[in-house]
Amino acid sequence: MASPKTVWYLSVLLVFCSSLEKQDCLETPNVTSEESPTDGSQVPSGEKREVTATLIEKVGEVELDVYNIPLENIHYLKFQVKSVTYPILISSVLNVTDINITTECSSDPSAFRCRCEDQYSWSCDQCSSYGSCGEIVDGKIRGCLNNYPSDGKFCQPITNPSPTTTAEPSTTYGEMIEIELDMTDISATLIDVLRASVSGLTYPVLISNVLSVTEVNFTTACYPNNTCSCEDQYGWSCDQCLSYGSCDNITDDSCGCIKAIPPYGPFCQPITNLTACPTPSPTPALPAEEETKNTLNLQFTMDITFDSNFNDENNAMFKDIDQTIKVIYKRNMRGFISAKLNRLKSGSVIADFTVITTIVDNVEIAKAKADIVSTLGKKYQIRFTCLNNTIFGSGQVNEIVVADCKLDEVGQKTAICQEKGHFSVRENNCVLKEIENLFFLSQALVGTGLPVFLERLRNSTFNLLGRIVASPATISTIVNILKNVANVSRSTPINKPLMKNFLETAGVLTSNGAKASWDVLNTNLTKNESSAFLGTIETFSNFLTDDFFDIETSRIILNKTTVNNSINNLFNLNLSVLIDIPASEASFNSITIITFDSLDNVLPARNSSSLNNSVNTINGKVVLVKVNGTIKNVTFSFDVLNKTLANPQCVFWNFNLFDGLGGWDDKGCELQSEKNGTVTCHCNHLTSFSILMSPSIPAVLRVALEFITYIGVGISMGCLVVCLIIEMLVWNAVTGNNTSYMRHVSIVNIAVSLLIANIWFIIGAAISDNEKKDLPACSTATFFIHFFYLALFFWMLVSGLLLLYWTVMVFSHMSKPEMLAISFSLGYGAPLIIAVITIAVTAPGKQYIRDNDGVCWLNWTESKALLAFVIPALTIVVINLLILIVVLFKMLRRGVRDVTQSDERNALVVIARCLAILTPFFGTTWGLGVGTMTTPNNLGIHIVFAIFNSLQGLFILVFGTLLDKKIREALTGRSQVSSNRTKTTSAATSSSGGLGFFRIRRRNVFNVSAAPTSGPTDAS
């Protein structure tokens, strides 16, 4: 089926031909002529004789120039032209006798060429004028021109017919054409089928009586991992192997696999056509004394007692160790020259020795070290602490080990063996080979090679993104590549495709995954990698072409647009930054604005007042503004990213601060306003701008708050442990009836829930304090803190519901197993459901925990996950307060005369007292917690919340345990328990001691009951 464009091209050609029928060049007139008789007689005047019309046939040739046609449409057009049956009837007087495609012009990065189709060629004068890229045969160019002919004369037929008198015998010419077909997005299965089909053909394959296919071969297969392999008997040329990087061993003249897809070919060529790689002239070997010598200072530790006599060179141990070192290192190391034991020193016994070699191979050093341990280990107590590490091998405590990088990396890693038996990496200089190769290519880069190079750089960074962002050394190398590219751009106009590839490469380095690597680079105060990175973007953007365009990548947005000098110019960038330039300042006609979504991952927050500033945070998008003129009045409005921060500073990046290290400076910028989450700044110059903000609570007060919190939580945990120990000691004495039993079950679970929640709170705080936050561990801590704090409130609800049940439902009695099942289902089941749903909904979007201040707790700013705790907790507080109102009303109205035992009456009063005190206390505590979220800058709320949150355990111990008279009697041994006699209690007996809360005054009521048969009765 013909494509729409192909049909359109053919239609244009035919319509054009049809239109010529109306023009003189293709007229077919009826001719009336006045003829004289052949016999000489005259024709009478005024009399005309009609003669037979003579038909005149005119041939018109139409030449149609079409351009911007996709390659696949050209191939299809050729096929359609060849398959048409001629002549084509246009009208009764117009036929199309033939259609031919004569000339095809195309461009690639190296040249512009115009090629002739079969049976057409360029004339010799055109060859001389425009330059030939083919061979001259019989005075005509049979190939192509190096330019587009300005005279409009395209390829002409090879033989133009001319009248001849003598017929010459025809000569048959055979022409061999090689066609290279590039096919993409083909499945591996289809490739195998095509390969099998091609190999099974019998050649030649006859296409027509003048065309046959002599051979079909597969040459190149490229894969999604950005590698291209050659088929059998084909290979890559030596220059392609070196340019793109070989993924196999380069032979004398080719390699079979390269690490990139050549954007413009050529692809694999027959091995017989490849020329050998240039062989460097052999360098005469240097004499041994002139070879480079490397001195390695090594040591190992022996777990024996040091003796100063060990350093006597005639000492048997000294001689034994010295000789063993020489033998083992000579056996294991190429280029070995000498080895010598220098001394033995204390610290158990440490053997310092020197090895001199011309070849340093870390694998050989590790093998020799292992041989030392296996040979001398038992005799001198030499043991490895760090064992069989896949990268660093084995090592002793405090031993520094150097290891080679992976096979596709260059450089070395250095680590030190820790006492706990693992290696800690001290330095990682590993750089991906692909990036290293690109760096070397960038050093010789010229403007004409910029498009291909930037496309390859962009593809490499995207394909290797995960490994790049995790490697500080690789990031540093890419920054150096971008520096070289920026230098080349000074002499090359930068268009939209070039800028987009550049920004997409830069965007990889600003991703969230690269933050840890940039933190490592920024701690090195001898290098300014982050400042240099921003500088390359500024430099590259200086040389944009005059076109106006927008580029939007996933992390960086560029807008180049015009400026109106008659009105104020407002630029709203991604709804996060607003730039206002007054009309009076618009003395330029274009402006370039680059907005960075995540440059805060790259640039440190140091400002002009402090090199090591750990308080400030980049709290707005970073925006780079460039104009082709000067400006002294511009206003920026930034949306605040973290609304819990305050103290905004309007700043720009000053490349000259700290002796060229770079930092944020506020010179020339001032704060205008801060309201509704927007900070407005006014500046008198242009460069890269943002805002710095810091916690509203001063550092000294934050330390004091942390001190109060940790001390209070420690006291709270101690009180909870005491509470549980007391409950364990008096359990049998105070759980004599169902009411008392369930009351103590509730208070024990309330204490356990709060204790475990506090433990996880300490764990979460430790995780938050780490420089490198462990997100999975932080999420785990947040889940358990959420779950157990909810369990605390739901067990408070269980206590309230039990109090309501025993007070209101006096004639309904549930068994102990039923009450336990309901209580545990509500106390732990409901919190578990809420906690699981919360993490399931918010964690996939990375909005489960707070990421703006490093605290391991539920997110508030993005997902409002904190509501999954606040709403259930405050709802329970309200329910318990309503229960208390109902219970107090019932007790004041008719007392507790339906309760038959004083023990039950005591338990109800204790429950009511706990609810009356603990419910408002817990509710107030977490109400203040919500206040710290909604008004983070209020210091008073933070202080009160820290105090209340720290004393929860103390309140449970005091009001849930110590103020219970029955518990105190059990502890002091004054509880009078009898299981064999009847006991009468008076209504005047006080139900509880302590503060005497909820004491009930009774008149004319006496309770007489038998002792219970299943246990003591005076339990609470």
Side-chain angles (χ1 to χ4, degrees):
M1 181 176 179
S3 68
K5 283 190 176 182
T6 304
V7 174
W8 187 82
Y9 296 140
L10 287 172
S11 301
V12 168
L13 182 60
L14 296 178
V15 170
F16 184 72
C17 291
S18 179
S19 67
L20 295 179
E21 182 181 4
K22 300 179 181 180
Q23 301 179 22
D24 292 340
C25 60
L26 289 180
E27 286 182 350
T28 55
N30 290 326
V31 180
T32 303
S33 59
E34 298 181 2
E35 296 188 42
S36 299
T38 57
D39 59 358
S41 60
Q42 295 286 332
V43 179
S45 176
E47 181 183 345
K48 292 188 178 179
R49 189 176 62 188
E50 189 178 72
V51 291
T52 305
T54 301
L55 296 179
I56 300 175
E57 183 182 74
K58 293 188 178 181
V59 177
E61 184 177 291
V62 179
E63 191 174 72
L64 185 61
D65 181 12
V66 289
Y67 55 91
N68 289 341
I69 306 176
L71 183 62
E72 62 270 16
N73 287 354
I74 291 179
H75 293 326
Y76 194 83
L77 190 60
K78 292 178 183 178
F79 173 77
Q80 292 294 329
V81 166
K82 291 180 180 178
S83 62
V84 172
T85 303
Y86 300 101
I88 302 173
L89 185 63
I90 303 299
S91 69
S92 58
V93 294
L94 178 64
N95 295 331
V96 176
T97 59
D98 196 14
I99 300 175
N100 287 309
I101 296 176
T102 66
T103 313
E104 176 187 333
C105 296
S106 61
S107 64
D108 57 42
S110 59
F112 185 95
R113 293 185 174 89
C114 284
R115 297 178 176 85
C116 294
E117 294 293 305
D118 190 27
Q119 301 301 317
Y120 287 85
S121 69
W122 298 103
S123 62
C124 194
D125 59 342
Q126 287 174 308
C127 167
S128 302
S129 300
Y130 300 107
S132 167
C133 49
E135 296 180 354
I136 300 178
V137 179
D138 296 331
K140 293 183 180 293
I141 299 175
R142 295 294 301 275
C144 64
L145 291 183
N146 283 327
N147 208 334
Y148 187 91
S150 58
D151 55 7
K153 294 181 180 180
F154 295 101
C155 299
Q156 302 299 316
I158 292 177
T159 56
N160 287 320
S162 58
T164 56
T165 56
T166 305
E168 295 183 0
S170 60
T171 303
T172 302
Y173 294 94
E175 186 171 355
M176 181 175 291
I177 301 174
E178 182 177 295
I179 299 174
E180 189 175 74
L181 186 60
D182 182 12
M183 298 180 292
T184 59
D185 296 331
I186 302 176
S187 67
T189 303
L190 181 56
I191 290 177
D192 293 337
V193 171
L194 290 174
R195 187 183 285 110
S197 301
V198 167
S199 61
L201 289 176
T202 302
Y203 300 100
V205 178
L206 188 65
I207 304 300
S208 67
N209 59 344
V210 294
L211 178 64
S212 60
V213 177
T214 59
E215 189 175 15
V216 178
N217 288 311
F218 277 83
T219 65
T220 314
C222 296
Y223 302 95
N225 63 354
N226 225 33
T227 61
C228 286
S229 301
C230 295
E231 297 288 303
D232 191 28
Q233 301 302 315
Y234 286 83
W236 295 104
S237 63
C238 186
D239 59 340
Q240 287 174 308
C241 297
L242 296 175
S243 297
Y244 297 107
S246 170
C247 41
D248 64 0
N249 294 324
I250 300 179
T251 60
D252 290 339
D253 52 8
S254 73
C255 61
C257 174
I258 60 175
K259 296 179 180 178
I261 301 175
Y264 301 104
F267 294 98
C268 298
Q269 302 298 315
I271 293 177
T272 55
N273 295 347
L274 297 174
T275 58
C277 295
T279 304
S281 56
T283 303
L286 295 172
E289 63 272 16
E290 296 183 11
E291 292 183 354
T292 302
K293 296 180 181 180
N294 300 284
T295 302
L296 307 178
N297 295 312
L298 305 173
Q299 66 179 24
F300 58 83
T301 302
M302 299 171 284
D303 191 13
I304 57 178
T305 304
F306 178 75
D307 189 332
S308 58
N309 293 325
F310 290 163
N311 280 311
D312 184 353
E313 293 186 0
N314 295 318
N315 182 281
M317 186 178 78
F318 189 98
K319 294 168 64 176
D320 183 22
I321 295 174
D322 183 54
Q323 184 61 28
T324 303
I325 289 173
K326 289 184 171 89
V327 172
I328 289 178
Y329 276 87
K330 182 176 182 180
R331 181 173 67 225
N332 284 282
M333 296 189 68
R334 297 167 295 155
F336 175 85
I337 297 176
S338 66
K340 179 184 178 183
L341 176 61
N342 299 319
R343 60 170 179 164
L344 299 172
K345 59 183 182 180
S346 61
S348 296
V349 176
I350 300 174
D352 281 337
F353 60 98
T354 302
V355 176
I356 300 176
T357 178
T358 58
I359 300 174
V360 178
D361 188 319
N362 293 317
V363 176
E364 294 176 351
I365 295 173
K367 180 64 170 61
K369 183 172 63 175
D371 283 358
I372 290 285
V373 174
S374 62
T375 304
L376 301 176
K378 290 184 179 180
K379 186 187 298 184
Y380 301 117
Q381 300 298 308
I382 307 173
R383 289 185 294 270
F384 287 134
T385 302
C386 302
L387 296 171
N388 302 323
N389 185 279
T390 55
I391 299 175
F392 300 103
S394 302
Q396 294 182 292
V397 175
N398 296 326
E399 180 182 358
I400 297 175
V401 180
V402 179
D404 294 326
C405 300
K406 296 179 181 178
L407 294 177
D408 60 347
E409 297 174 340
V410 295
Q412 292 181 330
K413 292 181 179 180
T414 303
I416 186 170
C417 178
Q418 303 287 342
E419 292 183 359
K420 295 181 179 180
H422 66 271
F423 283 101
S424 175
V425 177
R426 300 179 63 183
E427 190 174 7
N428 184 351
N429 294 320
C430 295
V431 178
L432 291 165
K433 282 185 178 178
E434 169 66 7
I435 303 302
E436 184 80 356
N437 291 337
L438 287 170
F439 172 68
F440 290 133
L441 291 175
S442 72
Q443 292 180 307
L445 187 64
V446 294
T448 55
L450 202 56
V452 175
F453 180 84
L454 279 177
E455 184 176 359
R456 180 180 173 186
L457 177 63
R458 181 259 182 203
N459 292 338
S460 297
T461 53
F462 269 66
N463 293 334
L464 300 169
L465 187 150
R467 297 182 63 186
I468 288 174
V469 299
S471 170
T474 302
I475 288 178
S476 179
T477 303
I478 295 178
V479 171
N480 290 329
I481 292 173
L482 295 179
K483 283 183 190 176
N484 294 334
V485 170
N487 289 332
V488 174
S489 70
R490 298 176 186 273
S491 58
T492 305
I494 305 303
N495 56 23
K496 183 176 180 179
L498 292 179
M499 192 68 199
K500 185 173 183 180
N501 281 333
F502 185 91
L503 291 181
E504 287 183 337
T505 300
V508 169
L509 303 190
T510 68
S511 61
N512 292 336
K515 180 173 176 56
S517 295
W518 280 110
D519 289 342
V520 173
L521 292 172
N522 288 328
T523 56
N524 186 349
L525 300 181
T526 62
K527 293 185 177 181
N528 62 343
E529 301 293 356
S530 56
S531 188
F533 173 70
L534 180 59
T536 60
I537 299 176
E538 285 202 17
T539 301
F540 201 78
S541 64
N542 285 336
F543 303 100
L544 293 174
T545 59
D546 292 333
D547 304 326
F548 301 114
F549 47 74
D550 294 334
I551 298 175
E552 184 170 353
T553 70
S554 59
R555 300 177 184 90
I556 304 175
I557 300 174
L558 181 145
N559 306 91
K560 185 178 182 185
T561 186
T562 57
V563 175
N564 192 328
N565 58 11
S566 61
I567 60 173
N568 287 4
N569 293 270
L570 291 175
F571 304 95
N572 193 352
L573 309 177
N574 202 24
L575 302 178
S576 59
V577 182
L578 181 67
I579 302 177
D580 184 5
I581 301 177
S584 59
E585 291 289 335
S587 59
F588 45 89
N589 54 20
S590 70
I591 182 171
T592 301
I593 305 171
I594 304 177
T595 309
F596 301 89
D597 271 356
S598 51
L599 200 61
D600 55 312
N601 293 327
V602 178
L603 298 175
R606 58 176 175 250
N607 60 9
S608 55
S609 61
S610 175
L611 179 59
N612 298 307
N613 194 314
S614 60
V615 177
N616 289 330
T617 300
I618 301 172
N619 203 27
K621 300 290 179 66
V622 178
V623 58
L624 166 63
V625 184
K626 307 284 288 186
V627 297
N628 58 347
T630 59
I631 190 171
K632 295 183 179 180
N633 184 8
V634 60
T635 301
F636 298 90
S637 295
F638 296 92
D639 281 354
V640 172
L641 301 180
N642 180 2
K643 296 182 180 180
T644 65
L645 299 178
N647 309 315
Q649 305 173 49
C650 299
V651 291
F652 70 96
W653 187 261
N654 187 340
F655 292 94
N656 298 320
L657 278 182
F658 306 115
D659 297 325
L661 194 62
W664 294 104
D665 196 352
D666 60 358
K667 186 177 181 180
C669 292
E670 60 182 17
L671 176 68
Q672 279 195 337
S673 65
E674 178 192 6
K675 58 183 178 180
N676 300 327
T678 301
V679 174
T680 302
C681 303
H682 177 268
C683 297
N684 59 15
H685 58 85
L686 292 180
T687 181
S688 299
F689 297 92
S690 189
I691 52 174
L692 294 181
M693 298 182 73
S694 59
S696 58
I697 302 174
V700 176
L701 291 180
R702 281 190 289 110
V703 172
L705 281 175
E706 290 180 1
F707 181 78
I708 293 172
T709 300
Y710 288 129
I711 296 297
V713 168
I715 294 173
S716 179
M717 293 173 64
C719 293
L720 292 170
V721 171
V722 172
C723 176
L724 293 174
I725 292 174
I726 291 173
E727 289 289 340
M728 180 179 64
L729 293 175
V730 302
W731 185 263
N732 291 331
V734 296
T735 56
N737 55 65
N738 286 353
T739 306
S740 297
Y741 181 85
M742 291 306 302
R743 191 224 70 82
H744 286 282
V745 167
S746 297
I747 202 68
V748 166
N749 281 282
I750 288 171
V752 168
S753 298
L754 183 57
L755 177 62
I756 299 177
N758 284 340
I759 292 172
W760 277 105
F761 173 82
I762 298 297
I763 295 173
I767 296 171
S768 302
D769 289 340
N770 284 339
E771 293 184 3
K772 186 176 181 180
K773 187 175 178 181
D774 189 337
L775 293 180
C778 191
S779 296
T780 302
T782 301
F783 175 83
F784 284 111
I785 294 171
H786 183 205
F787 170 70
F788 283 107
Y789 273 136
L790 279 178
L792 163 69
F793 278 92
F794 273 93
W795 275 104
M796 290 288 295
L797 178 62
V798 168
S799 296
L801 293 176
L802 288 173
L803 178 63
L804 181 66
Y805 170 74
W806 286 317
T807 305
V808 177
M809 310 292 290
V810 294
F811 298 107
S812 175
H813 298 283
M814 285 190 296
S815 65
K816 186 184 295 184
E818 289 176 331
M819 287 190 290
L820 286 174
I822 295 173
S823 299
F824 276 89
S825 297
L826 183 59
Y828 291 118
L832 181 62
I833 292 172
I834 295 173
V836 170
I837 291 176
T838 303
I839 193 172
V841 171
T842 59
K846 296 183 179 179
Q847 296 180 340
Y848 179 59
I849 59 176
R850 294 165 59 175
D851 57 359
N852 51 14
D853 55 6
V855 177
C856 293
W857 186 224
L858 297 172
N859 186 290
W860 172 255
T861 55
E862 288 88 8
S863 64
K864 299 295 187 291
L866 183 61
L867 293 176
F869 171 73
V870 172
I871 292 176
L874 297 184
T875 301
I876 290 173
V877 169
V878 173
I879 292 174
N880 276 356
L881 291 176
L882 292 176
I883 289 174
L884 274 174
I885 294 172
V886 172
V887 170
L888 288 174
F889 177 76
K890 290 285 187 181
M891 294 174 70
L892 293 174
R893 181 182 177 188
R894 58 181 177 84
V896 286
R897 52 185 174 272
D898 295 312
V899 179
T900 59
Q901 296 185 22
S902 63
D903 293 336
E904 292 180 347
R905 187 166 60 249
N906 178 76
L908 292 178
V909 172
V910 173
I911 294 174
R913 183 177 56 214
C914 286
L915 290 180
I917 295 174
L918 295 184
T919 297
F921 180 77
F922 289 158
T924 302
T925 299
W926 290 104
L928 292 169
V930 175
T932 62
M933 300 291 176
T934 57
T935 57
N937 301 330
N938 192 317
L939 178 60
I941 291 180
H942 280 275
I943 294 175
V944 176
F945 173 70
I947 295 173
F948 273 60
N949 189 41
S950 302
L951 299 178
Q952 292 179 99
L954 178 62
F955 272 56
I956 291 174
L957 174 64
V958 173
F959 295 103
T961 303
L962 296 182
L963 292 183
D964 188 342
K965 177 183 177 182
K966 297 296 183 182
I967 292 179
R968 294 201 306 274
E969 290 177 351
L971 288 174
T972 58
R974 291 185 288 109
S975 177
Q976 303 297 321
V977 180
S978 174
S979 59
N980 299 317
R981 62 186 179 86
T982 301
K983 181 171 60 176
T984 301
T985 58
S986 171
T989 304
S990 174
S991 63
S992 64
L995 298 178
F997 290 152
F998 303 106
R999 189 166 294 164
I1000 307 300
R1001 189 178 301 275
R1002 307 288 298 276
R1003 292 185 302 170
N1004 302 323
V1005 177
F1006 298 91
N1007 293 325
V1008 180
S1009 63
T1013 59
S1014 59
T1017 60
D1018 42 352
S1020 59

